[in-house]
Amino acid sequence: MSTNDASDAAEAGEAEKAGAPAPKARGLLVVYTGHGKGKTTAALGMVFRALGRGLRVTVVQFIKGKWKTGERIFAETLPGLQFHVMGLGFTWDSDDLGKDKAAARAAWETARAAIASGERDLIVLDELTYTFHYDFISEDEVLEALRARPAHVHVVITGRNAPEALTEAADLVTEMVAVKHPFAAGVKAQVGVDF
Ligand code: ATP
Ligand code: MG
């Protein structure tokens, strides 16, 4: 038995002795914002951890689906993970804001259904905040869906400039601060590191 297994077993044993039921998950609203790198990476780290514990995870990326990312490629190999990218299945024309809006709305409907269903334990809404900036999705309808969600559901929202109403509603807010980024030294985004 590894150290981890031993301490897990000890924790379970203590709870049993006290006659306490297994602790119920309290669904958290987590926001990763700020201008430094690490928001999406932190959310994906939580996904990795949650999948390891058998949680049911859905990721919805509110980014244009024509760009491949390492996480999207890897997600295809993980049967326990539902991974949606905005705009996949749409023909993209970046000049057409109407199409962008339709794609954002479709992605939001997918996310909203996953949140309300109670059948997913962790839902990541990656880069959701930029859809507020373009008025594709209203803050109010997101807040309402979050308020009404089943109690065990964890939701992680990433993106720059998280609105105040969202950070107020959140249980956990971390702001990534760009102390240093290689981009400033002329280093371009790299495969496997940035996408
Ligand atoms: P990551 O996906 O690497 O965790 P992020 O989600 O925090 O980054 P985004 O605003 O989503 O950041 O931007 C994604 C891309 O922008 C990544 O390629 C990332 O390296 C780059 N980036 C993030 N922060 C900075 C910064 N301060 N200066 C320049 N580029 C940045
Ligand atoms: Mg990001």
Side-chain angles (χ1 to χ4, degrees):
M1 191 185 261
S2 74
T3 323
N4 287 347
D5 290 342
S7 58
D8 283 355
E11 272 171 38
E14 284 306 310
E16 231 168 74
K17 260 186 259 161
K24 278 222 174 74
R26 144 92 151 78
L28 298 178
L29 174 57
V30 177
V31 174
Y32 294 131
T33 190
H35 294 282
K37 174 175 165 69
K39 301 173 288 294
T40 298
T41 317
L44 294 172
M46 278 187 70
V47 168
F48 194 95
R49 179 174 287 163
L51 289 173
R53 292 295 193 175
L55 300 195
R56 301 160 297 178
V57 181
T58 296
V59 176
V60 182
Q61 289 195 315
F62 291 81
I63 57 168
K64 293 184 184 183
K66 66 183 172 188
W67 292 306
K68 276 248 166 186
T69 59
E71 59 266 33
R72 188 175 133 199
I73 294 163
F74 189 49
E76 285 165 12
T77 71
L78 299 172
L81 177 62
Q82 290 182 352
F83 197 94
H84 306 279
V85 183
M86 180 181 109
L88 281 182
F90 285 75
T91 10
W92 272 97
D93 176 355
S94 58
D95 297 330
D96 188 338
L97 271 184
K99 276 187 196 158
D100 284 11
K101 181 168 185 172
R105 297 290 323 167
W108 167 240
E109 288 311 327
T110 299
R112 192 213 293 267
I115 292 167
S117 75
E119 288 167 9
R120 315 304 296 167
D121 303 299
L122 171 65
I123 295 136
V124 174
L125 309 176
D126 187 39
E127 316 298 346
L128 178 71
T129 60
Y130 103 95
T131 68
F132 301 142
H133 177 76
Y134 288 101
D135 274 334
F136 292 162
I137 298 166
S138 83
E139 286 171 42
D140 286 348
E141 66 180 312
V142 169
L143 288 168
E144 184 44 42
L146 292 171
R147 259 195 298 273
R149 78 191 191 277
H152 69 281
V153 174
H154 304 292
V155 178
V156 179
I157 296 176
T158 84
R160 294 172 186 221
N161 306 314
E164 209 177 311
L166 186 62
T167 56
E168 261 171 32
D171 301 288
L172 190 164
V173 180
T174 298
E175 185 170 356
M176 306 297 172
V177 177
V179 176
K180 232 182 181 187
H181 194 286
F183 188 75
V187 181
K188 297 255 159 61
Q190 297 187 66
V191 170
V193 174
D194 294 294
F195 62 92

